[in-house]
Amino acid sequence: MSAVPAGLGYARVSLRSGALAAAIAVTLVAAPFYLAPYATTTLTRMLVFGLFAASLDLLVGLIGLPSLGHAAYLGIGAYTAGWLALHGLTSPLALLLAASASALAGLGAGWISVRSSGIFFLILTLAIGEIAEQIAQSWTAVTGGSNGLYGIPAATVGPLTASDVASLYYYVLGGFGVGMAMLWSVSASPLGAALRGIRDNKTRMRALGYESTRYELFAFVLAAAVAGFAGGLLAAQQRLVTPSDLGFTTSALALFAVVIGGSGRLWAACLGAALIIGVRDVAGLTVNGHGPLLLGLLFIAAVYLMPHGIAGLPRRRK
Amino acid sequence: MPEWVPVAMTATINGLAIGLLLFVSAVGLTLIFGMMDVLNLAHGGLFLIGAYLVAESPTWTTFAVGLAAATTIGAVAGGALSLATAPLARRPHLDQALLTLGIALVIAEVLSALYGDDVRPANPPPGLDGAVPILGHQYPTYRLAVIGVGVVLALVFYWMVERTKLGALFRASVADRDMVAAIGIDVRFVRVGVLVVGSALAAVAGFLGGPIYNARPGLDSTILVLALVVVVIGGLGSVRGVLLASLLVGQIESTGRALLPSLASFLLFGALAVTIAVKPKGLLR
């Protein structure tokens, strides 16, 4: 965090990071050709969780509002898309409606939460997220209660159906690309610079005429919308939505992902998310399904050893 | 007597029991935050440890031993937490909160590995497991006992904070920690003390609340959220505020669930939203 706010222009992309991004894109597109089906499925999960974590990074990293209830918007999107699919709408329109539903919920919750900041914001978002989970548990007519929504039909794009491992992977990868492009375009724009300015020095930005509360609410709604979009992808990937998808643990893991990756960088959040899904789903198998135990220990270690996340490691060595 | 009177009365007494339990667990949380700026997200985990301990205590002897064990484990955990968070004191508050979040996750997973994922019903000790008639309706004796113990604990704690030298130190630390340090009091001692006492109270609340809530995975975050809502509504660091807010939330939880089961969660959210909108710093700050 620099003391001087960045200039409020568009961020420039260096040739090197552009080439790196292109190489990653090619690797991701070719993945089903060189990965086993199980590994492809794990990668699909990583993409969904990565987009979700990146949407949280918009709040935590860009504008400095640590949310511990972000899974509420993932869950609202997932329930919306799942419910729509069960009622016949499996096209990408369902993803947009899922994002809209989450944005609407984010507007209500954000209106209350952005009045606070720091730890208070953390407490408020946590409480609101937990209440969302209780609603998912008790509103059985729509959410299916604790069983959740199951038997969700596969997503379709025109005549194509995302039902097998590879097609589902490409469906999710496409959604991931759209979501990340949206987050990145905001982050790199003058608006993104204004958000960073509010994070670094709210008083100064207010003095410059930026009404910080309005920007915070905007960031909250946008983060909720992208999380809802990721939720739509989650429903298509799991074909099942349960209350735990919007619960405390999911929110906590997303915040872990952002912090372990290094907050303030969207790609780092995706990296953190990939690490967390990897530990939980792959390494967790070796400790009788208690993957979260490994995650908790990993996280305790990371708080002490990597104060700036994975993204901060190269900087420290210099 | 109309039909709804006994229902409303049962719900009110239940709310009193839940509210007092919430007070015992939330008062530690608010003091730890108010005095030390540490948001202890492992607080719910300590409650759950207490709840599992009481599930193992069928007789009065084991009940007494279990209560002592819960107090000790809570106090030791509080000491460990103060050691763990001390190196992070100069880092942003978020880092300390995240550390306790990691610890909460570990506690929850260890408990689920030890006790499995099923609900563990906890029975009250013999003699308190029956029911007594109130206005012609049977009411569980244990909950009345919890109310009694809760009132005593609340009074003792209130007296300690408002009337003793130690309590004055607590309140002074909430108001201005640097000034307390400047007049020659070792703030580190206060830090350890408040974490030990607060964590022990959380475990004791879990132990007493076990027969009401039953020990189960997920209870830790339920209680943590209720306690956090109480702390926010009451105003961080205010003992009086926490007492008021926990009694209020207890009533919302129990009357709300009895009368409008599908809307109870919205009611809790509504109470939080109204408080934040009208008094952003809590009722008594």
Side-chain angles (χ1 to χ4, degrees):
Chain A
M1 288 186 212
S2 61
V4 185
L8 300 191
Y10 277 91
R12 289 203 188 142
V13 183
S14 74
L15 195 65
R16 212 181 71 173
S17 55
L20 189 65
I24 291 172
V26 170
T27 317
L28 283 178
V29 168
F33 294 102
Y34 60 81
L35 287 182
Y38 179 75
T40 309
T41 304
T42 305
L43 190 60
T44 313
R45 274 203 294 269
M46 285 175 174
L47 288 175
V48 173
F49 203 68
L51 180 60
F52 172 51
S55 77
L56 177 61
D57 192 33
L58 185 78
L59 277 182
V60 180
L62 245 60
I63 200 161
L65 291 173
S67 167
L68 202 37
H70 204 52
Y73 312 102
L74 178 84
I76 288 168
Y79 272 109
T80 308
W83 188 87
L84 287 170
L86 283 170
H87 289 76
L89 184 70
T90 52
S91 70
L93 180 63
L95 290 179
L96 292 181
L97 290 174
S100 313
S102 291
L104 208 61
L107 190 64
W111 183 77
I112 296 164
S113 330
V114 298
R115 289 154 188 266
S116 59
S117 60
I119 291 294
F120 297 88
F121 185 82
L122 194 81
I123 297 178
L124 273 179
T125 50
L126 194 158
I128 294 170
E130 202 65 14
I131 289 162
E133 191 196 350
Q134 286 181 16
I135 292 170
Q137 290 271 14
S138 53
W139 198 11
T140 318
V142 174
T143 62
S146 50
N147 291 331
L149 297 177
Y150 49 88
I152 296 172
T156 56
V157 184
L160 305 170
T161 309
S163 50
D164 64 300
V165 171
S167 60
L168 181 62
Y169 173 78
Y170 284 118
Y171 179 77
V172 169
L173 183 63
F176 176 82
V178 170
M180 286 303 284
M182 176 134 180
L183 288 175
W184 188 81
S185 64
V186 170
S187 162
S189 71
L191 182 63
L195 298 182
R196 283 189 196 87
I198 290 167
R199 173 195 70 193
D200 290 345
N201 196 336
K202 196 188 263 191
T203 319
R204 187 164 170 182
M205 290 301 281
R206 287 182 76 95
L208 286 170
Y210 288 88
E211 220 186 299
S212 59
T213 313
R214 206 176 285 177
Y215 281 85
E216 284 167 348
L217 184 58
F218 166 78
F220 198 96
V221 172
L222 182 69
V226 176
F229 192 80
L233 297 175
L234 184 75
Q237 185 258 319
Q238 295 187 147
R239 312 275 288 273
L240 164 78
V241 186
T242 62
S244 76
D245 289 327
L246 40 65
F248 175 67
T249 309
T250 312
S251 292
L253 291 186
L255 192 57
F256 283 8
V258 168
V259 174
I260 284 187
S263 68
R265 290 176 181 79
L266 296 173
W267 61 265
C270 295
L271 203 63
L275 179 69
I276 279 178
I277 296 290
V279 170
R280 193 191 64 181
D281 292 3
V282 182
L285 293 176
T286 58
V287 282
N288 291 335
H290 287 289
L293 179 64
L294 286 181
L295 284 178
L297 294 173
L298 173 74
F299 197 70
I300 293 171
V303 169
Y304 288 114
L305 303 176
M306 301 193 300
H308 300 287
I310 298 170
L313 287 181
R315 205 175 357 158
R316 240 176 72 186
R317 257 188 234 115
K318 269 175 200 167
Chain B
M1 193 161 53
E3 183 66 24
W4 58 269
V5 170
V7 178
M9 196 199 61
T10 309
T12 312
I13 303 181
N14 273 339
L16 197 58
I18 295 174
L20 285 164
L21 278 177
L22 272 179
F23 171 75
V24 177
S25 51
V27 77
L29 197 63
T30 203
L31 282 180
I32 293 168
F33 189 85
M35 292 169 62
M36 289 301 134
D37 278 348
V38 175
L39 177 64
N40 181 14
L41 296 172
H43 214 70
L46 298 173
F47 186 97
L48 189 55
I49 292 178
Y52 273 116
L53 279 174
V54 77
E56 304 278 314
S57 310
T59 68
W60 270 107
T61 320
T62 51
F63 191 83
V65 172
L67 187 58
T71 316
T72 315
I73 291 176
V76 170
L81 274 171
S82 85
L83 280 182
T85 50
L88 302 178
R90 283 167 201 283
R91 299 250 297 270
H93 296 159
L94 181 60
D95 287 7
Q96 307 188 10
L98 291 175
L99 175 72
T100 59
L101 183 59
I103 293 172
L105 206 57
V106 171
I107 292 178
E109 281 304 312
V110 168
L111 287 177
S112 126
L114 282 178
Y115 294 102
D117 287 336
D118 298 324
V119 177
R120 289 229 157 187
N123 294 318
L128 291 178
D129 49 0
V132 285
I134 299 179
L135 291 179
H137 268 260
Q138 295 293 313
Y139 191 81
T141 319
Y142 183 74
R143 296 191 180 196
L144 293 177
V146 165
I147 293 177
V149 174
V151 166
V152 170
L153 274 177
L155 284 177
V156 166
F157 205 79
Y158 190 80
W159 172 78
M160 201 180 85
V161 169
E162 298 287 329
R163 291 279 181 272
T164 65
K165 232 174 182 175
L166 190 67
L169 182 62
F170 276 8
R171 280 178 289 133
S173 303
V174 172
D176 192 336
R177 202 180 334 155
D178 293 340
M179 189 52 89
V180 170
I183 58 171
I185 288 163
D186 194 339
V187 188
R188 282 173 304 177
F189 161 74
V190 183
R191 176 190 185 98
V192 176
V194 78
L195 265 160
V196 165
V197 172
S199 304
L201 280 174
V204 167
F207 192 85
L208 295 176
I212 295 179
Y213 281 101
N214 291 332
R216 62 183 158 81
L219 180 64
D220 48 349
S221 54
T222 309
I223 293 295
L224 175 66
V225 166
L226 284 178
L228 286 173
V229 168
V230 162
V231 166
V232 171
I233 291 182
L236 280 162
S238 155
V239 173
R240 249 179 285 184
V242 165
L243 184 56
L244 188 66
S246 43
L247 293 177
L248 186 74
V249 169
Q251 288 306 327
I252 293 174
E253 272 289 292
S254 112
T255 16
R257 287 201 192 282
L259 301 177
L260 306 159
S262 51
L263 290 178
S265 306
F266 288 102
L267 282 178
L268 194 60
F269 177 74
L272 185 68
V274 168
T275 312
I276 295 296
V278 179
K279 299 201 79 175
K281 293 206 155 179
L283 289 178
L284 295 185
R285 279 305 286 275

